[in-house]
Amino acid sequence: MPAIFGRHQQNARTLFFLNLLWGWTIIGWFYALHLALKLSPADKEVAASHQLWRHRNNLIS
């Protein structure tokens, strides 16, 4: 499941092999899931700009 969630991440291949080799352990599976759901720096910038845009619109209203 982590490999499916993270298939669009930059580290998708690493995530796939991590899940394949260590996914049978609970710790390895949760670490792979964490990597799959973690936001990339570019995604963080987009989220911050949307939050700033919403904040500005709330001040105007």
Side-chain angles (χ1 to χ4, degrees):
M1 193 157 49
I4 294 170
F5 288 151
R7 68 182 176 265
H8 298 296
Q9 294 275 5
Q10 289 179 342
N11 60 349
R13 185 175 293 164
T14 304
L15 184 59
F16 172 77
F17 285 111
L18 175 73
N19 192 30
L20 182 69
L21 298 174
W22 291 99
W24 57 273
T25 66
I26 293 172
I27 294 172
W29 190 85
F30 277 109
Y31 184 66
L33 185 64
H34 166 74
L35 287 178
L37 298 177
K38 187 171 75 167
L39 288 177
S40 68
D43 291 338
K44 287 181 184 179
E45 284 185 31
V46 170
S49 67
H50 284 287
Q51 186 177 16
L52 179 63
W53 181 78
R54 276 191 244 127
H55 179 70
R56 287 181 182 169
N57 283 342
N58 287 339
L59 290 177
I60 294 172
S61 300

